[in-house]
Amino acid sequence: MTGFARREQDSPLGQLVCELRSVNHRFLEAGFRLPEELRGLETELRQRLGAALKRGKVDCTMHLRPAAAGARAMQLDAAALARVLEAVRDVAQQLPAQHSVDVMEVLRWPGVVRDDPVDRDSLFEAARQLFEATVAELAAARAREGERLAEAIEQRCAALGEIVAQLRARAPELQARVRARLAEKIADLGTQVDAERFEQEVVLLLQRLDVAEELDRLAGHVDETRRIMRAGEPAGRRLDFLMQELNREANTLSSKSQELDTTRLAVDMKVLIEQMREQVQNIE
């Protein structure tokens, strides 16, 4: 399912920004792009994502915007400063008297001034909280899309139910037409047929053309589709399987059809099933 979520949060190293983008996919496939400071957290974040989502190709990006200069506390390394000053005095003795030492240059010397050590645990905890909040936002966006998809599928389920009802209502009429056509063919041949034998042939022909079982299964699959949609659980794979079963029954119905109107209804049914199948590919 598609979706996008973005959140920001302050951390010991600066501002963390998390973005999640989701597109349709049969399984859950996640790609992570993390700053070097958070590489050790990737496995845990993958597990958290897998606990929240079941399907979709998800791109997970986290940026770290460093804190502004001076925003983080700094420490003066007295020992390193003493060594630098001693070296400066040794060098100054060999330079002209007018030479002076720039204090800022001394402070810029590597190791003299250092930032406070980063609290790795605090940084990781901030990243966890940010990721959880972003995943929740993405899941909410996907849930809203799921509601729209559920409505579209329900409309097509209702249309399928109407077609099944029409075909059931037409069954007696179709049986009468089969009987009449067989009687016409026999009359055209100009032969006499035993009435009992005629009834046997009619029964055999009606058995081959009977679609009551297919209609029962179609109605059952439609009911199961609705039940799964209302269950509130990951339904994509189950619905995908049901679409295959619906399509199989529709194909059988079409192959048994001896009437143009029945064939048209079977085609309409296959169109609806294909529309549902396309929507099901977007459902978790």
Side-chain angles (χ1 to χ4, degrees):
M1 299 176 66
T2 59
F4 173 78
R6 183 181 188 276
R7 281 184 172 265
E8 300 179 359
Q9 181 169 318
D10 292 333
S11 76
L13 277 181
Q15 189 177 50
L16 283 171
V17 180
C18 183
E19 291 185 357
L20 299 179
R21 300 175 185 271
S22 172
V23 295
N24 301 328
H25 200 273
R26 292 186 63 189
F27 308 100
L28 179 62
E29 179 180 324
F32 278 81
R33 291 188 293 275
L34 303 176
E36 191 63 34
E37 295 85 353
L38 296 175
R39 289 292 184 187
L41 201 58
E42 180 173 338
T43 300
E44 180 182 340
L45 296 184
R46 284 184 179 275
Q47 293 173 349
R48 290 173 181 259
L49 183 68
L53 308 177
K54 302 304 178 185
R55 296 181 84 181
K57 184 175 181 181
V58 185
D59 291 328
C60 311
T61 304
M62 195 171 288
H63 302 288
L64 178 61
R65 296 173 179 170
R72 294 170 54 192
M74 295 184 296
Q75 293 182 349
L76 189 65
D77 190 325
L81 177 60
R83 291 193 296 270
V84 172
L85 292 177
E86 183 179 356
V88 168
R89 284 192 294 268
D90 291 343
V91 173
Q93 293 176 359
Q94 305 178 37
L95 294 176
Q98 68 272 19
H99 178 78
S100 61
V101 177
D102 188 339
V103 175
M104 292 305 299
E105 291 294 334
V106 173
L107 293 177
R108 292 193 187 101
W109 190 265
V112 173
V113 176
R114 63 175 184 271
D115 294 329
D116 278 341
V118 175
D119 185 347
R120 182 174 177 273
D121 292 340
S122 297
L123 177 62
F124 275 26
E125 183 58 29
R128 290 188 189 98
Q129 294 176 4
L130 176 62
F131 187 75
E132 288 284 356
T134 312
V135 169
E137 183 177 324
L138 177 66
R142 286 161 54 111
R144 290 190 295 271
E145 181 188 6
E147 292 174 358
R148 293 191 293 271
L149 293 176
E151 182 179 351
I153 291 176
E154 172 56 33
Q155 292 174 354
R156 285 156 180 80
C157 283
L160 283 175
E162 292 176 1
I163 293 176
V164 169
Q166 291 181 46
L167 291 171
R168 288 190 193 279
R170 289 169 54 85
E173 178 185 348
L174 294 176
Q175 292 175 3
R177 290 184 181 179
V178 168
R179 178 184 292 274
R181 281 201 301 268
L182 182 58
E184 289 176 2
K185 290 181 180 179
I186 293 175
D188 291 341
L189 293 175
T191 59
Q192 294 293 327
V193 178
D194 180 72
E196 184 177 350
R197 179 60 185 275
F198 176 79
E199 292 300 328
Q200 291 175 352
E201 291 298 325
V202 169
V203 170
L204 291 174
L205 184 57
L206 290 177
Q207 285 179 343
R208 289 197 298 270
L209 300 179
D210 182 47
V211 295
E213 188 175 347
E214 285 76 11
L215 293 178
D216 288 341
R217 284 197 290 263
L218 281 165
H221 294 331
V222 169
D223 289 342
E224 181 65 9
T225 298
R226 285 171 162 156
R227 186 195 68 79
I228 292 174
M229 293 294 294
R230 293 191 297 264
E233 300 175 352
R237 295 182 185 178
R238 288 179 177 271
L239 291 175
D240 193 33
F241 173 75
L242 278 174
M243 295 306 105
Q244 297 177 33
E245 295 300 307
L246 282 168
N247 194 57
R248 182 179 293 111
E249 300 302 335
N251 285 333
T252 304
L253 184 67
S254 179
S255 66
K256 288 185 175 183
S257 172
Q258 297 293 313
E259 298 284 339
L260 181 59
D261 290 343
T262 303
T263 301
R264 287 174 176 169
L265 288 173
V267 171
D268 291 343
M269 186 176 291
K270 293 173 70 173
V271 170
L272 289 170
I273 294 170
E274 178 60 22
Q275 291 174 349
M276 292 172 65
R277 189 195 66 80
E278 292 175 355
Q279 298 292 350
V280 164
Q281 302 304 310
N282 302 331
I283 294 178
E284 180 171 314

